[in-house]
Amino acid sequence: MFDPIHHWIDDQTLHWQSQNSTTPQSKCGRELIEHQKLGLSVHLFVRENKLRNGKAAPFTYFGPVEYKSHEGSSPMSVIFRLNPAD
């Protein structure tokens, strides 16, 4: 299923949309954009649905990602690239 807010562009690249309050100038926005410069790691956890059998669905861990670009503000549309395994 295609989710316009969060979807895979290809097998290594994810489009993700932030919360409505996130801007490129906000603390969270700056930390996403500048995570490498700030020495921060961003890790990707994904779940297909919010619920499974009436309870919170588990997440799948995909590993660290790196910021590639963004568009917009409140919310931000961000492109992340999965880091290849070392």
Side-chain angles (χ1 to χ4, degrees):
M1 180 174 104
F2 176 76
D3 179 348
I5 296 175
H6 308 93
H7 65 272
W8 291 101
I9 295 170
D10 59 35
D11 62 350
Q12 295 292 309
T13 311
L14 177 77
H15 170 271
W16 173 80
Q17 193 171 71
S18 72
Q19 294 179 329
N20 288 337
S21 60
T22 305
T23 70
Q25 297 78 28
S26 68
K27 181 179 187 291
C28 181
R30 286 190 324 270
E31 288 177 344
L32 289 171
I33 293 167
E34 300 176 11
H35 75 92
Q36 291 175 309
K37 183 172 103 176
L38 297 170
L40 301 173
S41 296
V42 178
H43 294 259
L44 179 63
F45 292 81
V46 176
R47 63 181 175 185
E48 291 187 30
N49 300 296
K50 288 185 178 184
L51 298 175
R52 180 190 284 173
N53 300 323
K55 297 183 179 182
F59 286 86
T60 300
Y61 178 63
F62 280 83
V65 294
E66 58 184 47
Y67 165 87
K68 292 315 233 180
S69 64
H70 75 277
E71 291 183 357
S73 179
S74 300
M76 292 172 56
S77 291
V78 182
I79 303 297
F80 289 109
R81 180 114 174 122
L82 283 174
N83 285 336
D86 294 327

